[in-house]
Amino acid sequence: MSGRTRQSPASRLAARAAGGGLRVFLVLVGLFWLMPTVGLLLSSLRAPSDISSSGWWRVFTAPAQLTTDNYASLLDNDTLTGSLLSTVLITVPSTVLVIVIGSFAGYAFAWMEFPGRDWWFLLVVGLLVVPVQVALVPVSELFGEIGIFETTLGVVLFHVAFGLPFAIFLLRNFFAEIPRELLEAARLDGAGEIRLFTRVVMPLGGPAIASLGIFQFLWVWNDMLIALIFADSDSPPITVALQQQVRQFGNNIDVLAPGAFVSMVIPLAVFFAFQRQFVSGVMAGAVK
């Protein structure tokens, strides 16, 4: 007899049924998670009269309701189209600056010796527990004194300042797990700190950097509190613009529905585009 335990036909059938049941359960969870997005998409493709008279699921029995007129109205709304550009101008620099500065600082805390390194890192970790609301009033006064209140620069600087502690903490812990022998071998080959950082550390830290970029992008894109206080009222981000549309025109669902869907689908597209790197970074951090 072989050392391998043979399963009975009933056990194999039960195992296959369990695996199939798990797949069905995961599919149902995925569909349930996507239901609000699908509902918003279908609502954005219906006329305002249809939206007010019945639910979005009505399109499955009356597909003639679907129309692209709402998106034409969205393109004609200068406030919402301009707000999308403002959101991009805030989100992209905030994400890139946090990644660049956080990567340099994380490498320095992980592999460079300088006075008070551990104490400075503890200070960074301590900043993680500082709530955003605590800084709203003093930062508003500071930005007003230096002339960047209600500007895109002010919003970017605020997001960068509050995104850096988490970025430094995440990347420092990831970079510290890189084998020391690998770095020493690169130094023996004549690599300086800059070349070591760009040629060795950054490629190995790709999953963690991608995870950080996704977190930062989603946080800044979906933010409303900071944008409502620090952004220019004449060119607000999409979250504030949608809120203003609801306040001023309570029944313009033909513009709000497609605007909300576009605001939602862009972060989803970014997440799915970097999904593999995100999972790799999370799993690597969990293993380490």
Side-chain angles (χ1 to χ4, degrees), residues 40-282:
L40 183 60
L41 171 61
L42 296 178
S43 296
S44 68
L45 295 172
R46 303 176 70 209
S49 58
D50 295 328
I51 295 175
S52 60
S53 62
S54 61
W56 57 266
W57 51 87
R58 179 65 177 171
V59 300
F60 294 109
T61 58
Q65 293 182 354
L66 298 178
T67 177
T68 59
D69 293 342
N70 293 343
Y71 285 91
S73 300
L74 175 65
L75 294 177
D76 292 336
N77 190 306
D78 295 335
T79 300
L80 291 181
T81 53
S83 67
L84 285 173
L85 177 60
S86 299
T87 306
V88 172
L89 293 177
I90 292 173
T91 306
V92 174
S94 299
T95 304
V96 173
L97 287 175
V98 166
I99 291 175
V100 173
I101 300 174
S103 298
F104 279 110
Y107 173 76
F109 279 117
W111 293 109
M112 297 181 68
E113 297 290 342
F114 54 89
R117 184 186 67 174
D118 294 337
W119 288 105
W120 283 110
F121 183 69
L122 288 176
L123 177 62
V124 171
V125 174
L127 292 175
L128 290 172
V129 302
V130 177
V132 174
Q133 293 80 0
V134 173
L136 294 179
V137 174
V139 173
S140 299
E141 296 177 353
L142 174 63
F143 284 1
E145 292 178 359
I146 61 179
I148 60 174
F149 186 72
E150 288 195 348
T151 63
T152 300
L153 177 61
V155 182
V156 170
L157 290 178
F158 194 98
H159 281 299
V160 171
F162 274 86
L164 277 177
F166 174 74
I168 296 172
F169 174 76
L170 174 69
L171 296 180
R172 182 266 178 192
N173 292 339
F174 193 92
F175 292 160
E177 297 295 333
I178 297 176
R180 181 180 297 273
E181 294 78 8
L182 182 63
L183 301 180
E184 291 178 350
R187 289 192 176 96
L188 290 175
D189 290 337
E193 294 297 338
I194 297 298
R195 188 174 182 182
L196 184 65
F197 175 76
T198 57
R199 298 293 182 88
V200 179
V201 176
M202 288 294 286
L204 293 176
I209 293 173
S211 300
L212 171 64
I214 291 175
F215 277 123
Q216 180 71 9
F217 184 92
L218 296 180
W219 176 51
V220 177
W221 183 277
N222 295 319
D223 168 73
M224 183 175 177
L225 175 62
I226 298 172
L228 189 63
I229 297 175
F230 293 96
D232 187 356
S233 57
D234 294 330
S235 56
I238 185 64
T239 52
V240 178
L242 289 174
Q243 185 268 343
Q244 291 175 348
Q245 291 286 314
V246 174
R247 182 180 60 192
Q248 296 175 2
F249 311 103
N251 296 322
N252 60 340
I253 192 65
D254 57 323
V255 174
L256 290 174
F261 178 75
V262 171
S263 175
M264 178 188 296
V265 76
I266 292 178
L268 285 176
V270 171
F271 174 80
F272 286 119
F274 296 96
Q275 181 183 11
R276 180 170 300 181
Q277 291 85 350
F278 176 77
V279 174
S280 299
V282 172

